[in-house]
Amino acid sequence: MMHINRKDFLKQTLAFAAFLAAIPALASSSSKRNKTILLRSSWQVENIGDIAHTPGVLALIEKYLPHVDVRLWPMDVGAGVEEMLMARFPGLKILKSEKEQQKAIAESDFFLHGSGPSLVGRKEMLRWKKETGKPYGIYGITFPGNYGFQAQDKNYNPLDLELINHASFAYFRDSVSLEFAKQIGAKCPVMGFCPDGAFAVDVRNDKAADLFLKEHALETGKFVCAIPQLRFSPWWELPSKDPTVNQEKHAWNEKMKEHDNLPIRNAIIEVVRQTDLKVLLVPENETQIRIGKEMLYDPLPEDIKPRVVWRDKYWLTDEAVSTYARSAGLFGLEMHSPIMCIAMGVPAIVCRFTEQTSKGFMWRDIGLGEWLFDMDTKSDVDRIVPAVLEMMKNPKAAKAKAMSALSRVIRYQKDTMKVLGGFLDHPSMKK
């Protein structure tokens, strides 16, 4: 497996910076308007991780490129997500109509594909490329991002490779994706690793979080969060999705659900028995409310249940972030809730399986390989409960490990935002 070498990354970045320096820069004071980024992001609202990509990238642009305007081209910002985004970024322009989108395409200087499970916005990126010829970049995706029984076959859309090759930069959120892109001949001039944009998420809803915690007698630092999952999220259960059941995926879910969730349930039991912590069962996507009750809460021994709280309602990213910030840590079968935790220096364990694509390997890439477990490797499964207990019983060491990973993430964020800023500041780089 390829491992991220930051020295190599910096060599590439510094070489690029030197190249930019040789180009006569336009003084920012001579510009009549701020440069504008057209951000394609916000893939769905039924998953707090997909929601988190957008405020994360917006926060990075705000921090490192404060004089740049952003227009968001979303797939979905319903269910309260738009209000959440506007509360945090009041100057943000969210494009809602074809007329607004066309105007933004004409007026924006750079198209940025936000973090995601794959090149989700390829259609819009291709439109930008054909209609404008202006530069575009890819910021933190998994590639090719196959979700299925043949996820390891690495089948990819040839259009994706074409778009990557013509991008100003292409950053992948895990080293496996980066290596695969290289293997199939990706030749983007600036290509490397970039942590998922959700690592920068800072939306908060402390009021809602505190109210929920008070109602369930959960004290700050005295509870740990746990997340269930099936091999394939059963989206057909949600009214907002296609109700057609994928019978093959459903059958595989049923076969593997006890195998996958049992170690999480056992960890919950041992945390309750061996520490003074409570456990809060939370959903990362809307289907996991039911899954959490069926697979984690209901089968618990009766003496354990009084110190376990099952959250029976879905939430948005801001309340989740505020809740995770008050927790002692998190473990489970998901990716983005752990990302949100590490963003705040809160310890988090990731348990992955092939059907989730290669995104989980970013845990190794940021120095948290000891907190990454493969559910299809028996030795890994056997180590989950001891690892959770170690994390909970030694909070200072766990906190230090989380902070070390966060420091590494921040260095990559700073470096990659510098590259984006370089393309914005030097119009002669336009393709």
Side-chain angles (χ1 to χ4, degrees), residues 230-247:
L230 303 180
R231 290 284 164 140
F232 296 99
S233 292
W235 296 119
W236 50 83
E237 296 179 3
L238 303 182
S240 60
K241 300 289 187 179
D242 183 350
T244 304
V245 178
N246 184 312
Q247 294 295 345

Side-chain angles (χ1 to χ4, degrees), residues 12 28 30 85 136 170 177 242 259 310 352 374 385 422 430:
Q12 184 185 42
S28 59
S30 67
L85 290 174
Y136 62 88
S177 293
D242 183 350
H259 170 273
W310 167 60
R352 67 169 297 276
D374 185 345
V385 173
K430 293 179 182 180

Side-chain angles (χ1 to χ4, degrees), residues 149 232 236 243-254:
F149 295 100
F232 296 99
W236 50 83
T244 304
V245 178
N246 184 312
Q247 294 295 345
E248 187 179 16
K249 290 182 177 181
H250 174 65
W252 187 238
N253 283 347
E254 291 299 301

Side-chain angles (χ1 to χ4, degrees), residues 224-394:
V224 60
C225 297
I227 299 182
Q229 178 57 320
L230 303 180
R231 290 284 164 140
F232 296 99
S233 292
W235 296 119
W236 50 83
E237 296 179 3
L238 303 182
S240 60
K241 300 289 187 179
D242 183 350
T244 304
V245 178
N246 184 312
Q247 294 295 345
E248 187 179 16
K249 290 182 177 181
H250 174 65
W252 187 238
N253 283 347
E254 291 299 301
K255 180 178 180 178
M256 298 303 296
K257 65 182 183 180
E258 179 66 9
H259 170 273
D260 294 337
N261 287 277
L262 177 61
I264 308 304
R265 195 164 70 237
N266 285 339
I268 292 168
I269 293 169
E270 294 308 314
V271 165
V272 170
R273 286 180 174 164
Q274 297 189 39
T275 76
D276 62 353
L277 297 169
K278 293 184 177 181
V279 180
L280 172 61
L281 308 182
V282 297
E284 183 163 310
N285 76 54
E286 204 167 340
T287 70
Q288 291 163 355
I289 300 170
R290 176 194 66 78
I291 299 168
K293 185 173 189 300
E294 177 190 347
M295 300 309 305
L296 298 184
Y297 185 79
D298 286 350
L300 288 173
E302 289 304 315
D303 65 309
I304 299 298
K305 287 182 178 179
R307 282 174 50 197
V308 178
V309 175
W310 167 60
R311 183 180 175 94
D312 63 355
K313 291 182 176 60
Y314 186 56
W315 51 357
L316 291 184
T317 307
D318 52 358
E319 184 180 355
V321 169
S322 291
T323 301
Y324 297 156
R326 288 152 172 72
S327 76
L330 180 146
F331 61 93
L333 297 160
E334 271 291 3
M335 187 80 239
H336 282 83
S337 289
I339 286 175
M340 295 176 217
C341 286
I342 296 299
M344 297 175 289
V346 174
I349 283 173
V350 171
C351 302
R352 67 169 297 276
F353 29 76
T354 300
E355 291 82 354
Q356 292 173 318
T357 76
S358 60
K359 63 182 178 181
F361 291 109
M362 77 175 83
W363 235 231
R364 290 182 182 176
D365 299 331
I366 65 170
L368 294 178
E370 293 180 3
W371 284 350
L372 176 64
F373 300 89
D374 185 345
M375 301 307 295
D376 294 311
T377 302
K378 186 179 185 304
S379 59
D380 273 19
V381 173
D382 291 343
R383 291 188 298 111
I384 292 172
V385 173
V388 171
L389 288 173
E390 174 70 18
M391 187 174 76
M392 294 297 96
K393 290 182 176 181
N394 296 282

Side-chain angles (χ1 to χ4, degrees), residues 199-230:
F199 276 105
V201 66
D202 62 0
V203 290
R204 300 288 287 258
N205 189 341
D206 293 342
K207 183 178 180 180
D210 288 340
L211 179 62
F212 179 88
L213 296 179
K214 183 178 180 180
E215 287 178 349
H216 296 278
L218 296 170
E219 301 177 34
T220 297
K222 296 293 186 181
F223 68 96
V224 60
C225 297
I227 299 182
Q229 178 57 320
L230 303 180

